[in-house]
Amino acid sequence: MKYEEFFEMAKEKGLSSAQLILTRSRATTIATFNQTVDKYKVADDQTVIASGIYEGRYGSCTTDRLERSTYAWLVEQIIKAAKTNGQLSKIDFFEGSPKYTKRTVFKKELAQKAPGEAIEDLMDLEKMTRQRDERISDFMAQYHYSEHTSELHNSKGLNLKNKTNYFLYAASAFANDGDNKKSYDSIIWGNDLSAFSKEKMVNEIIDGLFAQFGAAPCKSGKYPTVLRHDVFADFVDVMVGSADAESVQKKSSFLAGKINEKVASSKVTISERPLDKGPFFTYFDSEGVARQNKDIVKKGVLQTYLYNRETALKDGAKTTGNASYRGGKIAVGYTNLIMKPSKKGFEEMIAPIKEGVYITSIQGLGTGMNETNGDFSCQASGYMIRAGKVAEPLTLITLGGNVLKMFGDIKDIDSKNEFMPDGIGCPDVFVKSMSIGGK
């Protein structure tokens, strides 16, 4: 669909420039519980963000329809929003980058997978798990398929489009440990169906579920601490989020004033890689700026803040292609964060630990985090490490510290990088010492 008519109408009504961002998501979700399909949902959603500059002020509106009959209404809403905006816009819409790295990452075989086949997979997961151990009381499983299309068109002549898709299998098993009910979740996802293995999921569920039996808190104190990849991914998110130039400019980030300074152990390199093939591939940001792979922290040194065009203008810097439309404004976002792993396996990494803690789950980091200074406290669970081996399970403990100190105290890193559906890939990490609250 071509949108010249919308841009012509916008110009006739006094808009000096205008832009359309369209996102369309198609998804199928199937869930089972104890061998019964209890959810089957197909969704097809579209969001349109129409924006423009009127009398020097920016205005925008959102709708789920974009047809010729809605053009006049969209222009009217943009003008109304611009009139209520007290500030003159410092930048116009983007004319385009010299070069874009375009790739085809959409997998047709994912889109063609039959729902009946997915249901059979979910039923098999439960049967195989229950066959492994009769103590399983309840079992939940889910298949999710999603495809996402994003487009950006503006009156400067910019026309961009990106399309991706992915699958996700998730399963949760439950069993009673005395009066307490334990559970364990397993997820396999991506855009390569060959990564899905029923045997792998079942083995992980059985091992993870029954390893929790008999869990108790440890003694409070400072311990050598290993953070599992998904736990550490939450802290990577906090670290990179603090590199948001807007937060830095407002002095509300613990990374303010730390460009080219050491903010982590020299073992730590964190990159944003939006151009890597996969479900998070995207070659342009919400302003139409070409995206690039880049190091954010390299060998412990902070390389850059993350900019959109407006925050870059304020600092006299160049945009890093991290514009993200949120809450009616252009903010900063990031995707496909990767922390560089080492060549050392997990067993070798923990071998020197005489007595330590392996954290496999945390809760409440968002409410327990001070984003200005990096102090945090959250609930946690996991296992003791004794004589270089994972030992008895732990529960009802707390993990506390400071993000910058924790990153600075990273002593070793695992060799296996695990990706989570939130777009962060991390290995397990060994932190020299952390505060653990227990009994």
Side-chain angles (χ1 to χ4, degrees), residues 103-136:
R103 289 187 174 127
T104 300
V105 297
F106 184 83
K107 297 291 185 70
K108 291 182 179 179
E109 60 269 28
L110 291 184
Q112 295 168 352
K113 185 176 176 71
E117 183 183 350
I119 293 173
E120 185 177 338
D121 289 337
L122 300 181
M123 296 298 185
D124 284 348
L125 282 171
E126 179 174 351
K127 290 175 184 176
M128 292 167 65
T129 305
R130 289 187 182 278
Q131 286 171 0
R132 285 283 303 277
D133 201 300
E134 61 184 13
R135 290 174 291 175
I136 302 295

Side-chain angles (χ1 to χ4, degrees), residues 3 7 18-21 93-98 100 102 151-161 283-290 309:
Y3 305 106
F7 295 123
Q19 180 168 278
L20 292 171
I21 296 176
F93 295 110
F94 190 55
E95 295 182 358
S97 296
Y100 292 94
K102 299 180 181 181
E151 298 182 42
L152 186 150
H153 308 274
N154 66 30
S155 56
K156 304 289 186 180
L158 194 57
N159 295 285
L160 303 169
K161 184 176 181 178
Y283 69 91
F284 62 92
D285 71 2
S286 290
E287 292 180 307
V289 175
R309 292 167 64 230

Side-chain angles (χ1 to χ4, degrees), residues 219-230:
K219 290 182 179 180
S220 297
K222 290 186 177 294
Y223 292 88
T225 303
V226 176
L227 303 175
R228 196 171 70 178
H229 63 89
D230 49 343

